[in-house]
Amino acid sequence: MVTIVLCDDEVESLQRTEAEIERIKEKLPYPVDVVKYADTDYLMERIDNRELQSDILIVDVDMPKMSGLDIAKYIRQNKLDIIIIFLTGHDEYVYSSFEFAPLRYIRKEFIKEELLYALLAACRNVDTKRNEYVWIKTINGDYNVKTSEILYYEIENRRCNIYMSDGVLFSTKYKIKDIRKLIEQKDDAFVQINSGCVVGIRHIKFMSKGDIGVKTDKILQIARRKKAEVEKIVLDYWGDKL
């Protein structure tokens, strides 16, 4: 399933885009769920509250309250991993949209010719992203987390905290076995070093007799009973990369 969010202040245009998706949906590799917004304030509220779970956003560039460019800028500034497709009747916006890394630019008058190819390209991107990301429920909302950027996660004060390579911390209520199952369905480059800590192997800087160091200079302790197992997993992983 792919979720496509449409945002256009012109109700007629919004309905026309939805109808075109309905017409071409059988040609797409995923079933689609379409969510429509004619009010940019409500859309921004959903984004602010981390309630917008969207794979693809098709947004009109030229809207009076908040333009599609402003929405795209906000999404990129907040590092939300949403594929953006701009929709407009004005070609002059094309060049000003590049900085927001849109996947495609669709002209309203050519929507029947251009929408299918834009959505096929977006679905290919979704394929790639879904092999790298997992949705994590944190105490502050839901986040799409890139597994390869996870340094380690561990149980602290009855919460499972996920430490990312960019310094971001996600605090969750998962049990360690549940978060392992969730993450390692997509990415098996992790090793559990004690009962409450799992480390991303690709981020290990060194491994000594009883410790592992990760790239933020954090040193984590290996349980004595797991030492041989951890060493084998780590050496097997790096042996495969050499």
Side-chain angles (χ1 to χ4, degrees):
M1 175 72 73
V2 167
T3 301
I4 302 173
V5 170
L6 308 179
C7 182
D8 195 326
D9 65 312
E10 298 177 5
V11 175
E12 184 179 339
S13 176
L14 198 63
Q15 293 172 340
R16 188 164 54 247
T17 304
E18 182 184 29
E20 184 60 20
I21 292 173
E22 179 66 24
R23 186 183 71 84
I24 65 175
K25 68 180 183 180
E26 298 302 324
K27 298 178 181 180
L28 300 175
Y30 293 109
V32 297
D33 178 36
V34 178
V35 182
K36 304 188 299 295
Y37 293 89
D39 185 345
T40 54
D41 288 341
Y42 185 47
L43 174 63
M44 292 303 296
E45 181 183 329
R46 300 277 292 175
I47 293 172
D48 278 337
N49 293 334
R50 296 282 178 171
E51 295 172 347
L52 187 74
Q53 293 192 12
S54 171
D55 298 297
I56 303 164
L57 172 65
I58 301 177
V59 59
D60 186 11
V61 173
D62 188 18
M63 294 184 289
K65 291 173 71 174
M66 189 173 195
S67 76
L69 298 178
D70 292 330
I71 293 170
K73 181 178 181 180
Y74 188 82
I75 286 171
R76 295 299 182 235
Q77 286 176 339
N78 286 273
K79 299 182 179 179
L80 301 177
D81 195 24
I82 298 173
I83 297 166
I84 297 172
I85 296 173
F86 285 126
L87 180 67
T88 190
H90 304 284
D91 288 345
E92 64 266 25
Y93 290 112
V94 172
Y95 295 106
S96 57
S97 72
F98 287 165
E99 65 177 294
F100 309 119
L103 179 72
R104 286 287 191 278
Y105 198 97
I106 298 173
R107 296 164 294 176
K108 288 185 177 182
E109 63 268 35
F110 295 108
I111 193 168
K112 287 184 180 293
E113 293 84 1
E114 297 176 352
L115 183 60
L116 174 60
Y117 297 104
L119 288 179
L120 286 172
C123 286
R124 288 194 293 270
N125 277 28
V126 168
D127 269 338
T128 300
K129 292 175 185 297
R130 285 184 175 175
N131 288 330
E132 298 177 342
Y133 290 80
V134 291
W135 279 103
I136 300 290
K137 293 183 179 296
T138 79
I139 61 172
N140 295 316
D142 295 352
Y143 291 82
N144 207 15
V145 175
K146 191 171 185 178
T147 59
S148 62
E149 297 301 320
I150 298 173
L151 288 178
Y152 66 96
Y153 50 95
E154 65 178 344
I155 300 297
E156 299 172 302
N157 299 319
R158 298 185 178 181
R159 288 180 178 164
C160 184
N161 292 329
I162 302 171
Y163 292 85
M164 306 297 293
S165 62
D166 61 1
V168 171
L169 166 65
F170 296 111
S171 187
T172 81
K173 294 182 180 180
Y174 288 101
K175 294 179 180 178
I176 199 86
K177 65 177 182 179
D178 296 328
I179 195 72
R180 276 200 74 182
K181 183 178 180 180
L182 180 65
I183 290 172
E184 293 181 27
Q185 285 177 343
K186 297 291 183 73
D187 187 345
D188 62 359
F190 290 86
V191 59
Q192 185 160 0
I193 64 170
N194 59 52
S195 62
C197 183
V198 177
V199 177
I201 300 173
R202 56 177 65 87
H203 295 291
I204 293 174
K205 284 177 66 176
F206 70 85
M207 185 168 56
S208 64
K209 291 183 179 180
D211 299 315
I212 274 181
V214 296
K215 291 181 180 178
T216 55
D217 295 329
K218 174 75 174 179
I219 297 175
L220 301 162
Q221 189 170 22
I222 305 170
R224 184 178 301 174
R225 63 182 177 81
K226 293 186 75 68
K227 182 175 179 295
E229 176 190 349
V230 169
E231 285 183 354
K232 183 178 187 310
I233 291 171
V234 172
L235 293 175
D236 284 351
Y237 174 87
W238 285 114
D240 289 343
K241 306 301 173 188
L242 298 176

